[in-house]
Every structure is written in C-alpha cells, then in structure tokens.
Amino acid sequence: MKLAIFASGNGSNFQAIAEAVAIGAIEAQLTLLFCDKKDAYVIKRARSMSIPVISFSPNDFESKAMYEAEILHLLEEEQIDLIVLAGYMRIIGPTLLEVFSKRMINIHPSLLPDFPGLHGIKDAFYANVPETGVTIHYVDDGVDTGPIIAQEKVVIDMLDTLDSLEKKIHNVEHKLFPTVLAKLIKNQQGEGRS
Ligand code: GRF
C-alpha cells in the first residue's frame, strides 16, 4: 500500500502520519508529499524525515485540469494507492477525483456536516456551540461533503479561547488521523488477501 500525502501549510498532521508509518503502526509506505506551496513548513518536515517531496503550484499551469493532470501522472508513475489530504487547502477537481474516487481521504476540524470550509475551528468557536470536533471522510466533489469515516467530539469549555480550542482540535487530529488510517489500511489489506 503506497500513500501520498497532500498538504499546503504547517504539516503537523503530515508529521503525525509519517511518524505512525515510521514505527509500523500504519502498514504502508509513505511514498511522497505533494505540496502546492513551495515555501510551506510541511516541506521541511518531510525533508527532515527523508520523505520525497513534489511541489508545484496551479499558477505554474494554464488550467487547474493541467495542474491536476501533472499530479495524476506523477501519482500513477509511483503507483500510489491512497491519497491523504492533510491540510491541502484546495478543492480537488474532476481530473484527480475520477481516478482516485474512494481512494482519497480528508481531515476536517469540525463535526461535519457542521462548519465545512476553510475556517471550521473559528466558525464553531464564534457560533457558541457547546462542542465541535474532528471528521475524517472520503473526498467527493463537494466542499467537505464526502462519506464520513470517523468523528471525534471536542468539548468547548467556557474558558476556552480560539487558541486553546485550536490546540485541543489539533491534539485530537494527531491521534485520530493515524489511528483511522491504520485501521482502514489494515481492513483493505485483509480484503485483498481473502
Ligand atoms: C488541520 O486542522 C486540518 O483539519 C485542516 O487543516 C489543518 C492542517 O493543519 N484540514 P496541519 O498543516 O496538519 O498542521
């Protein structure tokens, strides 16, 4: 099982998954990081763990379809089985989706279907809801709408600030994402053998 992680920024989820792969908790090979931002911190994390990095931006191409066709070509060359979106801040277009449908997973920092979009943590915090959480789901052509694989709740305390809530959410993400991926991959490998 060969994984590609897509990320655009800090990469703390990338790191949590890469560490789980390194200790064998996720039975897969982390083949590459794809990053659409050439100066993102996640690239440093990958390099320090000797994970191959591919990085280019849609601005380098005439269209989004051509950008995604280039990514697809590289993924096919590496025979990638599963794409993991870990803070990849772009909508996936049909070029990638058609080939990787049911083989692309995203993490979102809210209890979907509540608070989809770019600001899941902030939106929940200012909505004054008593709890929010983390969702892991398959990717479809909507914004954070694909079939849900797992969710974990996070209570918003009276004393929470946006900052403390962000920390709580990220702590949950860093445990939940590797655990869910490990289970999913184990199950798929079991199916392949039977
Ligand atoms: C995470 O909160 C994730 O849920 C969202 O983007 C953030 C990425 O954080 N999709 P990081 O780059 O993994 O630190």
Side-chain angles (χ1 to χ4, degrees):
M1 167 74 66
K2 295 176 91 181
L3 306 184
I5 299 184
F6 286 24
S8 304
N10 176 28
S12 64
N13 282 283
F14 166 85
Q15 177 135 1
I17 296 165
E19 283 170 1
V21 169
I23 61 166
I26 295 176
E27 292 173 31
Q29 185 186 325
L30 178 45
T31 306
L32 63 92
L33 166 72
F34 175 73
C35 183
D36 58 323
K37 300 239 169 71
K38 284 171 189 145
D39 53 359
Y41 187 63
V42 67
I43 294 179
K44 288 206 177 85
R45 293 186 194 260
R47 296 225 163 100
S48 75
M49 298 176 90
S50 304
I51 294 162
V53 175
I54 296 173
S55 180
F56 50 79
S57 145
N59 300 336
D60 305 335
F61 295 82
E62 271 172 38
S63 66
K64 180 165 172 177
M66 287 166 88
Y67 162 72
E68 287 201 344
E70 178 62 16
I71 299 175
L72 187 58
H73 169 71
L74 295 165
L75 297 179
E76 286 179 334
E77 225 170 47
E78 293 292 345
Q79 298 181 305
I80 298 298
D81 300 297
L82 188 68
I83 299 176
V84 177
L85 306 183
Y88 180 66
M89 299 315 222
R90 291 184 190 280
I91 308 285
I92 301 288
T95 311
L96 275 172
L97 252 188
E98 271 160 26
V99 179
F100 275 90
S101 86
K102 307 249 167 66
R103 295 193 293 144
M104 201 186 304
I105 291 165
N106 182 42
I107 186 163
H108 182 78
S110 78
L111 290 178
L112 292 171
D114 293 340
F115 310 113
L118 279 181
H119 306 291
I121 305 176
K122 210 193 234 175
D123 291 347
F125 183 76
Y126 288 114
N128 284 316
V129 288
E131 61 183 22
T132 179
V134 174
T135 302
I136 294 169
H137 66 96
Y138 288 106
V139 177
D140 68 7
D141 59 1
V143 177
D144 303 320
T145 50
I148 290 173
I149 302 167
Q151 290 187 305
E152 189 168 325
K153 287 181 184 167
V154 172
V155 171
I156 306 180
D157 295 320
M158 294 281 283
L159 294 177
D160 266 324
T161 58
L162 180 56
D163 201 43
S164 69
L165 181 62
E166 277 171 359
K167 287 200 180 99
K168 275 158 69 169
I169 295 268
H170 293 315
N171 284 339
V172 169
E173 288 187 325
H174 300 159
K175 291 198 192 82
L176 188 66
F177 212 0
T179 307
V180 167
L181 281 172
K183 266 193 212 152
L184 205 91
I185 289 167
K186 211 177 189 95
N187 290 346
Q188 278 183 10
Q189 282 169 342
E191 279 165 24
R193 275 196 289 274
S194 61

